[in-house]
Amino acid sequence: MNHRRSASPIKSFFDTIDHKVLAQLMSRHFREKRLFNLYWKLVRAGYIEFNSKRRVFVASDVGVPQGGIVSPLLSNLMLHELDIYMEKLKLLREAASLGHKPTTRNPLYSSASNTIRKCVKLRARTDLSKDSRKQIHSLLYAALRLRKRTRSELRNPGHSKIDYVRYADD
């Protein structure tokens, strides 16, 4: 069963990056020990919070400093893994739904259309009684109202598509 989900941003991303996971991702690209020493100093540096005229040091267990010069680079290392995962997922979904159209004809709409067609043919007959004509007329307008309120196409459950966009506003 497919559920359409609206776009949802990653919130507080810089504040929630796991230091160990990020270090593992960095180790795939870099081998320099001095860089890793500098990295650990950066992410463990913490910050000072000013509360009621006094300063309080807050240690950071997770996250990278917002506004830090290397924070966008570090976040891109992390989000690159998400990009790769989403691209694979998108290809798998497209392969699974190959040959399936995105929408399918709504059977309720088709049924109402068939009823309208039959009523129009019956109304053209001249050998019907006044009561039969009234019944056909009321059936015709009921089918017209139903068709007007009904979508002609529905999402095909066999079709699956993923739209993935990554951008940053800051």
Side-chain angles (χ1 to χ4, degrees), residues 55-94:
R55 297 179 211 154
V56 177
F57 175 76
V58 179
S60 58
D61 299 332
V62 293
V64 293
Q66 286 195 35
I69 197 157
V70 296
S71 295
L73 175 71
L74 296 174
S75 69
N76 274 325
L77 272 172
M78 196 76 135
L79 290 173
H80 178 70
E81 297 301 312
L82 177 62
D83 293 340
I84 292 170
Y85 172 79
M86 291 303 293
E87 192 60 36
K88 286 179 183 175
L89 186 61
K90 183 178 176 181
L91 290 172
L92 285 171
R93 289 273 179 99
E94 286 172 359

mmCIF file of all heavy atoms in Angstrom, residues 55-94:
data_model
loop_
_atom_site.group_PDB
_atom_site.id
_atom_site.type_symbol
_atom_site.label_atom_id
_atom_site.label_comp_id
_atom_site.label_asym_id
_atom_site.label_seq_id
_atom_site.Cartn_x
_atom_site.Cartn_y
_atom_site.Cartn_z
ATOM 1 N N ARG A 55 27.910 33.217 33.115
ATOM 2 C CA ARG A 55 28.216 32.351 31.981
ATOM 3 C C ARG A 55 28.230 30.889 32.430
ATOM 4 O O ARG A 55 28.779 30.570 33.470
ATOM 5 C CB ARG A 55 29.579 32.699 31.399
ATOM 6 C CG ARG A 55 29.646 34.068 30.840
ATOM 7 C CD ARG A 55 31.018 34.354 30.309
ATOM 8 N NE ARG A 55 31.274 35.777 30.460
ATOM 9 C CZ ARG A 55 32.438 36.319 30.574
ATOM 10 N NH1 ARG A 55 33.521 35.567 30.565
ATOM 11 N NH2 ARG A 55 32.566 37.601 30.683
ATOM 12 N N VAL A 56 27.628 30.032 31.568
ATOM 13 C CA VAL A 56 27.595 28.600 31.864
ATOM 14 C C VAL A 56 28.166 27.858 30.653
ATOM 15 O O VAL A 56 27.717 28.051 29.528
ATOM 16 C CB VAL A 56 26.138 28.126 32.135
ATOM 17 C CG1 VAL A 56 26.099 26.627 32.360
ATOM 18 C CG2 VAL A 56 25.536 28.883 33.288
ATOM 19 N N PHE A 57 29.153 27.016 30.896
ATOM 20 C CA PHE A 57 29.727 26.209 29.811
ATOM 21 C C PHE A 57 28.825 24.997 29.558
ATOM 22 O O PHE A 57 28.442 24.293 30.495
ATOM 23 C CB PHE A 57 31.138 25.737 30.165
ATOM 24 C CG PHE A 57 31.716 24.805 29.142
ATOM 25 C CD1 PHE A 57 32.188 25.292 27.933
ATOM 26 C CD2 PHE A 57 31.761 23.438 29.363
ATOM 27 C CE1 PHE A 57 32.711 24.444 26.975
ATOM 28 C CE2 PHE A 57 32.278 22.575 28.403
ATOM 29 C CZ PHE A 57 32.751 23.087 27.210
ATOM 30 N N VAL A 58 28.488 24.759 28.288
ATOM 31 C CA VAL A 58 27.653 23.622 27.909
ATOM 32 C C VAL A 58 28.477 22.727 26.996
ATOM 33 O O VAL A 58 28.904 23.146 25.914
ATOM 34 C CB VAL A 58 26.363 24.081 27.188
ATOM 35 C CG1 VAL A 58 25.527 22.878 26.786
ATOM 36 C CG2 VAL A 58 25.573 25.037 28.059
ATOM 37 N N ALA A 59 28.739 21.502 27.463
ATOM 38 C CA ALA A 59 29.500 20.540 26.650
ATOM 39 C C ALA A 59 28.601 20.012 25.546
ATOM 40 O O ALA A 59 27.393 19.895 25.721
ATOM 41 C CB ALA A 59 29.986 19.390 27.525
ATOM 42 N N SER A 60 29.200 19.693 24.404
ATOM 43 C CA SER A 60 28.382 19.187 23.292
ATOM 44 C C SER A 60 28.685 17.708 23.054
ATOM 45 O O SER A 60 29.806 17.333 22.770
ATOM 46 C CB SER A 60 28.631 20.000 22.022
ATOM 47 O OG SER A 60 29.983 19.962 21.666
ATOM 48 N N ASP A 61 27.642 16.888 23.229
ATOM 49 C CA ASP A 61 27.775 15.450 22.980
ATOM 50 C C ASP A 61 27.437 15.119 21.538
ATOM 51 O O ASP A 61 27.898 14.120 20.998
ATOM 52 C CB ASP A 61 26.826 14.670 23.898
ATOM 53 C CG ASP A 61 27.151 14.895 25.366
ATOM 54 O OD1 ASP A 61 28.315 15.174 25.676
ATOM 55 O OD2 ASP A 61 26.218 14.811 26.185
ATOM 56 N N VAL A 62 26.584 15.913 20.942
ATOM 57 C CA VAL A 62 26.179 15.724 19.549
ATOM 58 C C VAL A 62 26.147 17.075 18.865
ATOM 59 O O VAL A 62 26.101 18.114 19.511
ATOM 60 C CB VAL A 62 24.783 15.064 19.415
ATOM 61 C CG1 VAL A 62 24.779 13.644 19.907
ATOM 62 C CG2 VAL A 62 23.728 15.897 20.096
ATOM 63 N N GLY A 63 26.167 17.050 17.544
ATOM 64 C CA GLY A 63 26.018 18.270 16.760
ATOM 65 C C GLY A 63 27.346 18.905 16.380
ATOM 66 O O GLY A 63 28.396 18.583 16.936
ATOM 67 N N VAL A 64 27.259 19.761 15.395
ATOM 68 C CA VAL A 64 28.407 20.556 14.972
ATOM 69 C C VAL A 64 28.027 22.019 15.145
ATOM 70 O O VAL A 64 26.857 22.373 15.095
ATOM 71 C CB VAL A 64 28.817 20.262 13.507
ATOM 72 C CG1 VAL A 64 29.343 18.846 13.365
ATOM 73 C CG2 VAL A 64 27.682 20.491 12.541
ATOM 74 N N PRO A 65 29.018 22.868 15.368
ATOM 75 C CA PRO A 65 28.688 24.266 15.644
ATOM 76 C C PRO A 65 28.010 24.954 14.469
ATOM 77 O O PRO A 65 28.515 24.915 13.349
ATOM 78 C CB PRO A 65 30.035 24.916 15.944
ATOM 79 C CG PRO A 65 31.074 23.910 15.680
ATOM 80 C CD PRO A 65 30.436 22.609 15.407
ATOM 81 N N GLN A 66 26.868 25.557 14.728
ATOM 82 C CA GLN A 66 26.199 26.322 13.680
ATOM 83 C C GLN A 66 27.000 27.592 13.447
ATOM 84 O O GLN A 66 27.416 28.258 14.384
ATOM 85 C CB GLN A 66 24.774 26.662 14.094
ATOM 86 C CG GLN A 66 23.877 25.473 14.035
ATOM 87 C CD GLN A 66 22.407 25.870 14.094
ATOM 88 O OE1 GLN A 66 22.026 26.888 13.566
ATOM 89 N NE2 GLN A 66 21.615 25.034 14.732
ATOM 90 N N GLY A 67 27.215 27.890 12.188
ATOM 91 C CA GLY A 67 28.023 29.055 11.846
ATOM 92 C C GLY A 67 29.496 28.716 11.766
ATOM 93 O O GLY A 67 30.302 29.560 11.388
ATOM 94 N N GLY A 68 29.862 27.483 12.146
ATOM 95 C CA GLY A 68 31.259 27.066 12.038
ATOM 96 C C GLY A 68 31.655 26.954 10.573
ATOM 97 O O GLY A 68 30.850 26.563 9.730
ATOM 98 N N ILE A 69 32.891 27.272 10.280
ATOM 99 C CA ILE A 69 33.327 27.322 8.884
ATOM 100 C C ILE A 69 33.321 25.943 8.219
ATOM 101 O O ILE A 69 33.108 25.831 7.016
ATOM 102 C CB ILE A 69 34.699 28.014 8.770
ATOM 103 C CG1 ILE A 69 34.948 28.442 7.340
ATOM 104 C CG2 ILE A 69 35.803 27.140 9.304
ATOM 105 C CD1 ILE A 69 35.921 29.559 7.196
ATOM 106 N N VAL A 70 33.517 24.874 9.002
ATOM 107 C CA VAL A 70 33.524 23.529 8.410
ATOM 108 C C VAL A 70 32.197 22.790 8.576
ATOM 109 O O VAL A 70 32.039 21.699 8.053
ATOM 110 C CB VAL A 70 34.675 22.658 8.978
ATOM 111 C CG1 VAL A 70 36.022 23.232 8.622
ATOM 112 C CG2 VAL A 70 34.532 22.470 10.466
ATOM 113 N N SER A 71 31.249 23.382 9.276
ATOM 114 C CA SER A 71 29.965 22.708 9.512
ATOM 115 C C SER A 71 29.235 22.336 8.226
ATOM 116 O O SER A 71 28.711 21.225 8.121
ATOM 117 C CB SER A 71 29.073 23.559 10.413
ATOM 118 O OG SER A 71 29.663 23.676 11.680
ATOM 119 N N PRO A 72 29.169 23.208 7.203
ATOM 120 C CA PRO A 72 28.517 22.791 5.954
ATOM 121 C C PRO A 72 29.224 21.614 5.286
ATOM 122 O O PRO A 72 28.573 20.720 4.750
ATOM 123 C CB PRO A 72 28.583 24.041 5.068
ATOM 124 C CG PRO A 72 28.717 25.167 6.014
ATOM 125 C CD PRO A 72 29.509 24.633 7.176
ATOM 126 N N LEU A 73 30.540 21.590 5.352
ATOM 127 C CA LEU A 73 31.299 20.473 4.777
ATOM 128 C C LEU A 73 30.983 19.177 5.523
ATOM 129 O O LEU A 73 30.721 18.137 4.910
ATOM 130 C CB LEU A 73 32.798 20.760 4.830
ATOM 131 C CG LEU A 73 33.712 19.630 4.376
ATOM 132 C CD1 LEU A 73 33.603 19.453 2.864
ATOM 133 C CD2 LEU A 73 35.140 19.913 4.764
ATOM 134 N N LEU A 74 30.965 19.252 6.849
ATOM 135 C CA LEU A 74 30.671 18.067 7.657
ATOM 136 C C LEU A 74 29.234 17.593 7.431
ATOM 137 O O LEU A 74 28.980 16.389 7.330
ATOM 138 C CB LEU A 74 30.907 18.368 9.137
ATOM 139 C CG LEU A 74 32.357 18.693 9.521
ATOM 140 C CD1 LEU A 74 32.434 19.109 10.984
ATOM 141 C CD2 LEU A 74 33.277 17.531 9.235
ATOM 142 N N SER A 75 28.294 18.524 7.326
ATOM 143 C CA SER A 75 26.901 18.117 7.102
ATOM 144 C C SER A 75 26.737 17.490 5.720
ATOM 145 O O SER A 75 25.959 16.559 5.551
ATOM 146 C CB SER A 75 25.959 19.300 7.275
ATOM 147 O OG SER A 75 26.132 20.235 6.234
ATOM 148 N N ASN A 76 27.482 17.987 4.738
ATOM 149 C CA ASN A 76 27.409 17.384 3.401
ATOM 150 C C ASN A 76 27.952 15.964 3.385
ATOM 151 O O ASN A 76 27.461 15.123 2.638
ATOM 152 C CB ASN A 76 28.137 18.246 2.367
ATOM 153 C CG ASN A 76 27.237 19.316 1.809
ATOM 154 O OD1 ASN A 76 26.045 19.109 1.645
ATOM 155 N ND2 ASN A 76 27.800 20.469 1.526
ATOM 156 N N LEU A 77 28.960 15.687 4.202
ATOM 157 C CA LEU A 77 29.445 14.299 4.315
ATOM 158 C C LEU A 77 28.322 13.391 4.804
ATOM 159 O O LEU A 77 28.135 12.288 4.298
ATOM 160 C CB LEU A 77 30.612 14.222 5.304
ATOM 161 C CG LEU A 77 31.996 14.463 4.755
ATOM 162 C CD1 LEU A 77 33.006 14.539 5.889
ATOM 163 C CD2 LEU A 77 32.386 13.397 3.761
ATOM 164 N N MET A 78 27.579 13.879 5.789
ATOM 165 C CA MET A 78 26.490 13.098 6.367
ATOM 166 C C MET A 78 25.337 12.957 5.365
ATOM 167 O O MET A 78 24.824 11.866 5.149
ATOM 168 C CB MET A 78 26.010 13.806 7.632
ATOM 169 C CG MET A 78 25.192 12.980 8.514
ATOM 170 S SD MET A 78 26.232 11.824 9.404
ATOM 171 C CE MET A 78 25.576 11.999 11.011
ATOM 172 N N LEU A 79 24.936 14.062 4.760
ATOM 173 C CA LEU A 79 23.787 14.045 3.856
ATOM 174 C C LEU A 79 24.084 13.344 2.538
ATOM 175 O O LEU A 79 23.167 12.892 1.859
ATOM 176 C CB LEU A 79 23.287 15.467 3.603
ATOM 177 C CG LEU A 79 22.629 16.118 4.817
ATOM 178 C CD1 LEU A 79 22.316 17.575 4.533
ATOM 179 C CD2 LEU A 79 21.376 15.370 5.215
ATOM 180 N N HIS A 80 25.361 13.234 2.184
ATOM 181 C CA HIS A 80 25.726 12.501 0.970
ATOM 182 C C HIS A 80 25.275 11.039 1.076
ATOM 183 O O HIS A 80 24.819 10.442 0.101
ATOM 184 C CB HIS A 80 27.229 12.590 0.724
ATOM 185 C CG HIS A 80 27.677 11.824 -0.472
ATOM 186 N ND1 HIS A 80 27.367 12.210 -1.754
ATOM 187 C CD2 HIS A 80 28.399 10.672 -0.585
ATOM 188 C CE1 HIS A 80 27.874 11.336 -2.604
ATOM 189 N NE2 HIS A 80 28.501 10.395 -1.921
ATOM 190 N N GLU A 81 25.365 10.482 2.263
ATOM 191 C CA GLU A 81 24.903 9.103 2.487
ATOM 192 C C GLU A 81 23.394 9.004 2.275
ATOM 193 O O GLU A 81 22.906 8.031 1.715
ATOM 194 C CB GLU A 81 25.275 8.633 3.897
ATOM 195 C CG GLU A 81 26.770 8.579 4.154
ATOM 196 C CD GLU A 81 27.490 7.645 3.198
ATOM 197 O OE1 GLU A 81 27.033 6.494 3.008
ATOM 198 O OE2 GLU A 81 28.521 8.059 2.640
ATOM 199 N N LEU A 82 22.663 10.013 2.710
ATOM 200 C CA LEU A 82 21.217 10.045 2.486
ATOM 201 C C LEU A 82 20.923 10.142 0.986
ATOM 202 O O LEU A 82 20.021 9.470 0.487
ATOM 203 C CB LEU A 82 20.581 11.222 3.230
ATOM 204 C CG LEU A 82 19.079 11.429 3.028
ATOM 205 C CD1 LEU A 82 18.296 10.224 3.536
ATOM 206 C CD2 LEU A 82 18.623 12.706 3.708
ATOM 207 N N ASP A 83 21.696 10.957 0.266
ATOM 208 C CA ASP A 83 21.523 11.079 -1.190
ATOM 209 C C ASP A 83 21.692 9.725 -1.879
ATOM 210 O O ASP A 83 20.890 9.348 -2.733
ATOM 211 C CB ASP A 83 22.544 12.052 -1.790
ATOM 212 C CG ASP A 83 22.324 13.483 -1.350
ATOM 213 O OD1 ASP A 83 21.208 13.799 -0.907
ATOM 214 O OD2 ASP A 83 23.281 14.274 -1.458
ATOM 215 N N ILE A 84 22.721 9.007 -1.510
ATOM 216 C CA ILE A 84 22.994 7.693 -2.108
ATOM 217 C C ILE A 84 21.846 6.728 -1.802
ATOM 218 O O ILE A 84 21.360 6.017 -2.684
ATOM 219 C CB ILE A 84 24.335 7.126 -1.603
ATOM 220 C CG1 ILE A 84 25.493 7.973 -2.159
ATOM 221 C CG2 ILE A 84 24.505 5.666 -1.992
ATOM 222 C CD1 ILE A 84 26.828 7.654 -1.524
ATOM 223 N N TYR A 85 21.400 6.702 -0.548
ATOM 224 C CA TYR A 85 20.299 5.825 -0.147
ATOM 225 C C TYR A 85 19.025 6.148 -0.924
ATOM 226 O O TYR A 85 18.351 5.257 -1.441
ATOM 227 C CB TYR A 85 20.054 5.961 1.360
ATOM 228 C CG TYR A 85 18.818 5.239 1.823
ATOM 229 C CD1 TYR A 85 18.840 3.855 2.015
ATOM 230 C CD2 TYR A 85 17.626 5.912 2.044
ATOM 231 C CE1 TYR A 85 17.708 3.175 2.422
ATOM 232 C CE2 TYR A 85 16.484 5.249 2.447
ATOM 233 C CZ TYR A 85 16.533 3.880 2.632
ATOM 234 O OH TYR A 85 15.407 3.214 3.029
ATOM 235 N N MET A 86 18.696 7.432 -1.035
ATOM 236 C CA MET A 86 17.468 7.833 -1.729
ATOM 237 C C MET A 86 17.546 7.513 -3.222
ATOM 238 O O MET A 86 16.547 7.134 -3.828
ATOM 239 C CB MET A 86 17.190 9.327 -1.510
ATOM 240 C CG MET A 86 16.801 9.674 -0.095
ATOM 241 S SD MET A 86 15.357 8.775 0.518
ATOM 242 C CE MET A 86 14.075 9.451 -0.520
ATOM 243 N N GLU A 87 18.705 7.657 -3.816
ATOM 244 C CA GLU A 87 18.856 7.335 -5.235
ATOM 245 C C GLU A 87 18.639 5.838 -5.474
ATOM 246 O O GLU A 87 17.952 5.446 -6.412
ATOM 247 C CB GLU A 87 20.244 7.760 -5.726
ATOM 248 C CG GLU A 87 20.407 7.742 -7.204
ATOM 249 C CD GLU A 87 19.448 8.671 -7.947
ATOM 250 O OE1 GLU A 87 19.143 9.761 -7.449
ATOM 251 O OE2 GLU A 87 18.990 8.279 -9.035
ATOM 252 N N LYS A 88 19.189 5.003 -4.596
ATOM 253 C CA LYS A 88 18.965 3.554 -4.709
ATOM 254 C C LYS A 88 17.490 3.211 -4.513
ATOM 255 O O LYS A 88 16.927 2.406 -5.259
ATOM 256 C CB LYS A 88 19.817 2.802 -3.679
ATOM 257 C CG LYS A 88 21.274 2.758 -4.013
ATOM 258 C CD LYS A 88 22.054 2.018 -2.930
ATOM 259 C CE LYS A 88 23.540 2.035 -3.214
ATOM 260 N NZ LYS A 88 24.309 1.418 -2.123
ATOM 261 N N LEU A 89 16.872 3.813 -3.511
ATOM 262 C CA LEU A 89 15.456 3.570 -3.237
ATOM 263 C C LEU A 89 14.597 3.998 -4.417
ATOM 264 O O LEU A 89 13.670 3.294 -4.814
ATOM 265 C CB LEU A 89 15.036 4.318 -1.969
ATOM 266 C CG LEU A 89 13.631 4.069 -1.459
ATOM 267 C CD1 LEU A 89 13.441 2.592 -1.102
ATOM 268 C CD2 LEU A 89 13.343 4.941 -0.257
ATOM 269 N N LYS A 90 14.922 5.136 -4.997
ATOM 270 C CA LYS A 90 14.181 5.640 -6.155
ATOM 271 C C LYS A 90 14.295 4.673 -7.332
ATOM 272 O O LYS A 90 13.297 4.349 -7.981
ATOM 273 C CB LYS A 90 14.728 7.013 -6.543
ATOM 274 C CG LYS A 90 14.000 7.670 -7.666
ATOM 275 C CD LYS A 90 14.584 9.046 -7.943
ATOM 276 C CE LYS A 90 13.900 9.663 -9.133
ATOM 277 N NZ LYS A 90 14.425 10.978 -9.459
ATOM 278 N N LEU A 91 15.497 4.170 -7.596
ATOM 279 C CA LEU A 91 15.687 3.215 -8.699
ATOM 280 C C LEU A 91 14.940 1.912 -8.447
ATOM 281 O O LEU A 91 14.336 1.351 -9.362
ATOM 282 C CB LEU A 91 17.175 2.944 -8.910
ATOM 283 C CG LEU A 91 17.981 4.097 -9.494
ATOM 284 C CD1 LEU A 91 19.477 3.784 -9.473
ATOM 285 C CD2 LEU A 91 17.526 4.424 -10.898
ATOM 286 N N LEU A 92 14.965 1.431 -7.207
ATOM 287 C CA LEU A 92 14.236 0.205 -6.865
ATOM 288 C C LEU A 92 12.733 0.382 -7.053
ATOM 289 O O LEU A 92 12.064 -0.489 -7.598
ATOM 290 C CB LEU A 92 14.533 -0.208 -5.422
ATOM 291 C CG LEU A 92 15.888 -0.830 -5.160
ATOM 292 C CD1 LEU A 92 16.115 -0.986 -3.652
ATOM 293 C CD2 LEU A 92 16.006 -2.185 -5.847
ATOM 294 N N ARG A 93 12.195 1.499 -6.602
ATOM 295 C CA ARG A 93 10.762 1.762 -6.737
ATOM 296 C C ARG A 93 10.360 1.870 -8.204
ATOM 297 O O ARG A 93 9.332 1.371 -8.611
ATOM 298 C CB ARG A 93 10.374 3.051 -6.022
ATOM 299 C CG ARG A 93 10.408 2.960 -4.528
ATOM 300 C CD ARG A 93 9.061 2.432 -4.018
ATOM 301 N NE ARG A 93 9.023 2.297 -2.603
ATOM 302 C CZ ARG A 93 8.470 3.176 -1.781
ATOM 303 N NH1 ARG A 93 7.934 4.254 -2.238
ATOM 304 N NH2 ARG A 93 8.475 2.950 -0.498
ATOM 305 N N GLU A 94 11.194 2.573 -9.007
ATOM 306 C CA GLU A 94 10.876 2.725 -10.425
ATOM 307 C C GLU A 94 10.919 1.383 -11.139
ATOM 308 O O GLU A 94 10.083 1.100 -11.996
ATOM 309 C CB GLU A 94 11.834 3.722 -11.079
ATOM 310 C CG GLU A 94 11.538 5.161 -10.681
ATOM 311 C CD GLU A 94 12.590 6.140 -11.169
ATOM 312 O OE1 GLU A 94 13.583 5.716 -11.809
ATOM 313 O OE2 GLU A 94 12.416 7.340 -10.908
#
